[in-house]
Amino acid sequence: MGKASVTIKEIARELNVSKSTVSRALRDSSEISEETKQRVLELARQLNYSPNPIALSLLKNRTHTIGIIVPDIANAFFSSAIAGVEDVAYSRGYHVMIYQSHESYERELIDARHIATRRADGLVVSLASSSERYDHFRELQEQDIPVVFFDRVTDAITTHKVLVDDYKGAFEATEHLIQRGCQRIAHIAGPPKLSISRNRFNGYKDAMDKYGIAMRDEWVVSSEYNQAGGTERAYQLMALRERPDAIFAASDRIALGVHWALRQLGYRMPADVALIGFSDLAISSLLDPPLSSVAQPSFEIGQQAAELLLELIESRNTPVSFETRVLKTKLMIRKSSMKEIS
Amino acid sequence: MGKASVTIKEIARELNVSKSTVSRALRDSSEISEETKQRVLELARQLNYSPNPIALSLLKNRTHTIGIIVPDIANAFFSSAIAGVEDVAYSRGYHVMIYQSHESYERELIDARHIATRRADGLVVSLASSSERYDHFRELQEQDIPVVFFDRVTDAITTHKVLVDDYKGAFEATEHLIQRGCQRIAHIAGPPKLSISRNRFNGYKDAMDKYGIAMRDEWVVSSEYNQAGGTERAYQLMALRERPDAIFAASDRIALGVHWALRQLGYRMPADVALIGFSDLAISSLLDPPLSSVAQPSFEIGQQAAELLLELIESRNTPVSFETRVLKTKLMIRKSSMKEIS
DNA sequence: ATTTTTTACGAAAACGATTGAATGGCTCGG
DNA sequence: CCGAGCCATTCAATCGTTTTCGTAAAAAAT
């Protein structure tokens, strides 16, 4: 009927010593005789004692838990990043508590507050697409709960950040399309509130500029980072009088929607329309034609974010200089963008 | 510099009453005068007081946290199930702590022990493919930490379980292939330690029997539930002197590998080989040809598992009769299995 | 032999909250 | 005028652990 877990008190009673002695013996304190230590250790092992982390938390005000807020767990990019966070957290004795913002600012705010009341030791977060206020993160920082951003970051909060060079990745993707002879290159951008959306757009724009290719307003549209948005925008773009001959989608999820739409509409990729996405989800290479994409090391991003966070947590009160780690993207060229050069 | 969070004690001091009075006032106890209540409530609001859940946990021996162990977060089936768990846990004031077994028994054991020492209120788990001992779950139950299984369950532990009718799903998938005129139907099963693997195999076998179709030993192979395994097995199957004209893969991840391999090898689906998977991942419908599959309501599975778990948690000590919820699968017929009937 | 130091341990406070029991003051009935 | 009863509040214990401050006895130094 539920054997209550053994406490230090029981060991003490059993051995006719005080709780303090037991505690010290377990921590191998020098002021306990070798003999007593042995007796305590032996009994503790025998009773399968393990210290109650909740009591410790109360005492030390440290929970050994870190929170992570992502827009959507089921998104492969995020679940992979979570796996990265979990990887280093686990190896350092921390546990990961998951929260989803569902792309909603309100939910993100509630999640952040929850993390504060729950006394997590820190937070790793990737912003919701609708967030434009960031005070909830500042509140956490003021309560000595460090925050580290990854991927979807903001300049409004000074802290560690981990992301990829979105600008450069987008630039290279666009440049690649241009080099394959595409002239009418459309861009489906992400929600403009997110810096990754803006940076990717800028990469696109500057590549177009560099090669002196005209950008048309109607060829630049915006969508949430999901498949439905991609499909919708693809229909919209292909309905234009002047159709694009290439589409650079700000994410693979958008690109998946475009891919589907183009097939529905009977376009051939890349002959009619070249397509390239961003993130290189595992599925992208399985599509037919396989989708070109700008690869992001999602697992590694999670790992590094967790490392930086743990660093902040474990060096509390010692001021550090915050860094922004910019990881490399890698252009994965596949059939969807390999237009024959005429 | 980190404003320490307000405690009941401070409110008490400020108001010149005792901690008990404050506590009772906050809980709206009848033995506190209306006036005092108002004063306490007002100050609490003003100081933005929120009770320390750790102190509560220590006192009540309840953490309002549930653990979840899955083989791999980044697997879409599991991340979706996690989202389901998170959905109901969140709405009932519980938090979700994530653990990965990485398909390893040892890691699963460690995770389970961690959950015990961390004093989670309960556990939702889907077994690692290498697990064949289950004492770690029994240990949890003996410590009054209820466990609920989903998808990958075991008969060895009596508790609530949530899964789909794997047998029937497999039977229908196989039947469908037969009805499309396939005669040489291979099956790539999952790891035999998992009951889902065995049930799916049995569904396949019984369908073959029902229609009097000969099963060949060399057409039944086994693989881990991942893409690489599928690819490998596909090569193996297609190299046989007597090639199969259809493959029923025990999971979509396996089927993805098969899909890729068949394309590499130049087979047409479904003309040369019909293919069907299990789980209906979001990507499956995006492949070319789109992959037929047996859909599992992963999100709902997670939800129901969480509901059952919370029921167990909140009715501790009142004995319940355990149930196994069997959800329905749905056969998603797409091009990969739609062989022309000759 | 006396003082000082070391050794080995215990008592109690602290962390933040809840709660059963006790207490002080008050009113009221007899 | 005294005891009963009630109200509002406080006291103290509890949860499991660490840690500061004592302290008795033993060992060492004088």
Side-chain angles (χ1 to χ4, degrees):
Chain A
M1 244 290 174
K3 48 177 174 193
S5 44
V6 282
T7 73
I8 238 175
K9 202 196 248 175
E10 292 175 57
I11 300 185
R13 190 163 34 73
E14 195 90 6
L15 256 37
N16 264 322
V17 295
S18 73
K19 297 186 300 176
S20 343
T21 303
V22 176
S23 171
R24 279 190 267 254
L26 291 170
R27 323 202 75 234
D28 200 28
S29 156
S30 63
E31 40 184 333
I32 299 296
S33 74
E34 211 44 54
E35 193 213 326
T36 317
K37 264 187 207 168
Q38 287 312 319
R39 293 202 304 146
V40 170
L41 255 40
E42 170 57 22
L43 185 59
R45 206 191 43 69
Q46 199 175 309
L47 294 181
N48 196 11
Y49 168 82
S50 88
N52 184 326
I54 299 174
L56 266 313
S57 291
L58 184 58
L59 196 61
K60 299 285 175 67
N61 207 28
R62 293 285 239 75
T63 57
H64 277 260
T65 296
I66 69 183
I68 178 166
I69 305 180
V70 293
D72 175 20
I73 305 176
N75 177 326
F77 173 76
F78 292 118
S79 59
S80 168
I82 291 173
V85 171
E86 211 255 2
D87 182 59
V88 344
Y90 184 93
S91 73
R92 305 262 299 262
Y94 282 76
H95 296 256
V96 177
M97 219 152 212
I98 294 202
Y99 295 80
Q100 296 187 78
S101 64
H102 297 290
E103 301 286 15
S104 146
Y105 164 72
E106 286 75 21
R107 181 77 183 249
E108 185 178 276
L109 187 137
I110 294 172
D111 287 345
R113 299 248 164 93
H114 253 302
I115 283 169
T117 55
R118 276 248 143 189
R119 264 71 171 183
D121 291 342
L123 167 64
V124 171
V125 61
S126 193
L127 290 167
S129 64
S130 60
S131 295
E132 30 185 357
R133 308 206 58 217
Y134 310 102
D135 295 331
H136 44 310
F137 299 121
R138 215 167 277 119
E139 281 173 26
L140 287 177
Q141 292 182 313
E142 280 164 10
Q143 291 174 56
D144 259 348
I145 300 176
V147 179
V148 169
F149 288 89
F150 75 95
D151 190 50
R152 301 175 174 199
V153 307
T154 172
D155 287 339
I157 304 282
T158 53
T159 183
H160 290 320
K161 289 156 198 170
V162 181
L163 70 169
V164 296
D165 193 336
D166 292 289
Y167 173 87
K168 191 167 167 219
F171 187 98
E172 288 173 359
T174 310
E175 191 172 42
H176 160 66
L177 291 173
I178 294 170
Q179 286 167 349
R180 298 309 298 182
C182 302
Q183 288 290 326
R184 303 188 306 278
I185 305 175
H187 177 48
I188 306 182
K193 285 172 189 167
L194 294 174
S195 59
I196 54 169
S197 305
R198 298 193 302 269
N199 292 338
R200 290 173 195 177
F201 168 71
N202 287 333
Y204 158 79
K205 183 163 67 79
D206 286 1
M208 297 290 271
D209 281 356
K210 174 176 171 192
Y211 290 88
I213 299 187
M215 260 177 60
R216 293 229 200 171
D217 283 351
E218 63 268 35
W219 287 347
V220 177
V221 294
S222 175
S223 155
E224 276 288 332
Y225 284 121
N226 60 35
Q227 195 180 325
T231 298
E232 210 174 294
R233 293 295 161 252
Y235 278 119
Q236 182 182 332
L237 287 172
M238 301 317 289
L240 289 173
R241 182 157 192 277
E242 293 263 15
R243 286 176 183 147
D245 62 359
I247 298 177
F248 166 41
S251 89
D252 270 18
R253 305 197 103 197
I254 293 175
L256 289 180
V258 176
H259 196 279
W260 187 85
L262 291 179
R263 274 182 8 220
Q264 293 301 307
L265 295 170
Y267 291 96
R268 289 161 306 160
M269 286 171 274
D272 298 327
V273 182
L275 177 63
I276 187 165
F278 207 109
S279 279
D280 194 33
L281 301 183
I283 32 173
S284 304
S285 60
L286 297 173
L287 298 180
D288 190 36
L291 178 66
S292 297
S293 193
V294 180
Q296 288 180 288
S298 50
F299 187 82
E300 198 184 341
I301 289 175
Q303 284 181 308
Q304 300 217 11
E307 271 165 21
L308 289 171
L309 182 67
L310 292 183
E311 199 177 281
L312 288 179
I313 290 173
E314 297 186 344
S315 69
R316 274 215 271 224
N317 300 329
T318 41
V320 291
S321 61
F322 293 116
E323 63 176 299
T324 294
R325 290 205 186 157
V326 180
L327 306 191
K328 283 212 175 77
T329 58
K330 188 172 172 202
L331 188 59
M332 307 300 288
I333 299 173
R334 304 201 181 89
K335 196 175 162 198
S336 76
S337 67
M338 281 301 274
K339 191 172 202 150
E340 296 295 324
I341 297 179
S342 49
Chain B
M1 248 286 174
K3 48 179 175 194
S5 45
V6 284
T7 73
I8 238 176
K9 202 196 250 175
E10 290 175 58
I11 300 185
R13 188 163 36 71
E14 195 91 6
L15 256 38
N16 264 322
V17 295
S18 73
K19 296 186 302 176
S20 345
T21 304
V22 175
S23 171
R24 280 192 253 262
L26 290 171
R27 324 203 74 235
D28 201 29
S29 157
S30 62
E31 42 184 332
I32 298 295
S33 71
E34 208 46 54
E35 194 212 327
T36 317
K37 264 188 208 167
Q38 286 313 318
R39 293 202 304 145
V40 170
L41 255 40
E42 169 59 21
L43 185 60
R45 206 190 44 68
Q46 199 175 309
L47 294 181
N48 196 13
Y49 168 82
S50 87
N52 184 327
I54 299 174
L56 267 316
S57 291
L58 185 59
L59 194 62
K60 300 284 175 68
N61 207 25
R62 294 285 241 75
T63 57
H64 276 258
T65 296
I66 68 183
I68 178 165
I69 304 180
V70 293
D72 175 19
I73 305 177
N75 177 326
F77 173 77
F78 293 119
S79 59
S80 168
I82 291 174
V85 171
E86 212 256 2
D87 181 60
V88 345
Y90 184 94
S91 73
R92 305 261 298 262
Y94 282 76
H95 297 256
V96 177
M97 221 152 210
I98 293 203
Y99 295 80
Q100 296 186 78
S101 64
H102 297 289
E103 301 286 16
S104 147
Y105 163 72
E106 287 74 22
R107 181 75 183 251
E108 185 179 277
L109 188 137
I110 294 172
D111 287 345
R113 298 248 165 93
H114 253 303
I115 282 169
T117 56
R118 276 250 144 189
R119 266 63 171 188
D121 291 343
L123 168 64
V124 171
V125 62
S126 192
L127 290 168
S129 64
S130 60
S131 294
E132 30 184 357
R133 308 205 59 217
Y134 310 102
D135 295 331
H136 43 309
F137 299 120
R138 216 167 278 120
E139 280 172 28
L140 287 178
Q141 292 182 315
E142 279 164 12
Q143 290 174 57
D144 260 346
I145 299 177
V147 178
V148 169
F149 289 88
F150 74 95
D151 191 50
R152 301 175 173 197
V153 306
T154 172
D155 287 339
I157 304 282
T158 53
T159 182
H160 290 320
K161 290 156 198 169
V162 180
L163 69 170
V164 296
D165 193 337
D166 291 290
Y167 173 87
K168 190 168 167 215
F171 187 97
E172 289 172 356
T174 311
E175 190 171 44
H176 160 67
L177 290 174
I178 295 170
Q179 285 167 348
R180 299 308 299 180
C182 301
Q183 287 288 326
R184 303 188 306 278
I185 304 175
H187 176 48
I188 305 181
K193 286 173 188 166
L194 294 175
S195 59
I196 54 169
S197 305
R198 298 192 301 269
N199 291 339
R200 290 174 195 176
F201 167 71
N202 287 334
Y204 157 78
K205 184 164 65 79
D206 287 1
M208 297 289 271
D209 281 356
K210 175 176 173 191
Y211 288 90
I213 300 186
M215 258 176 62
R216 293 228 199 170
D217 283 350
E218 64 268 34
W219 287 347
V220 177
V221 294
S222 175
S223 155
E224 276 287 332
Y225 284 121
N226 60 37
Q227 195 180 325
T231 299
E232 211 173 291
R233 294 295 161 251
Y235 278 118
Q236 182 182 330
L237 287 172
M238 300 317 288
L240 289 173
R241 182 159 191 273
E242 293 262 16
R243 287 178 182 143
D245 62 358
I247 298 176
F248 165 42
S251 89
D252 270 17
R253 306 196 103 197
I254 293 175
L256 290 180
V258 175
H259 196 280
W260 187 85
L262 291 178
R263 273 179 12 217
Q264 293 301 306
L265 295 170
Y267 291 96
R268 291 161 304 160
M269 287 172 272
D272 299 327
V273 184
L275 177 63
I276 186 163
F278 208 108
S279 280
D280 193 34
L281 301 182
I283 31 172
S284 304
S285 60
L286 297 173
L287 298 180
D288 189 38
L291 178 66
S292 297
S293 193
V294 180
Q296 288 179 289
S298 50
F299 186 83
E300 198 185 340
I301 290 174
Q303 284 181 309
Q304 299 216 12
E307 272 165 20
L308 289 171
L309 182 66
L310 292 183
E311 199 178 281
L312 287 180
I313 290 174
E314 297 185 344
S315 69
R316 273 217 270 225
N317 300 328
T318 41
V320 290
S321 60
F322 293 115
E323 63 177 299
T324 294
R325 291 205 187 157
V326 180
L327 307 192
K328 283 211 174 79
T329 58
K330 188 172 172 202
L331 188 59
M332 307 300 289
I333 299 173
R334 305 202 180 88
K335 197 175 160 199
S336 76
S337 67
M338 281 301 273
K339 190 172 203 149
E340 297 296 324
I341 296 178
S342 48

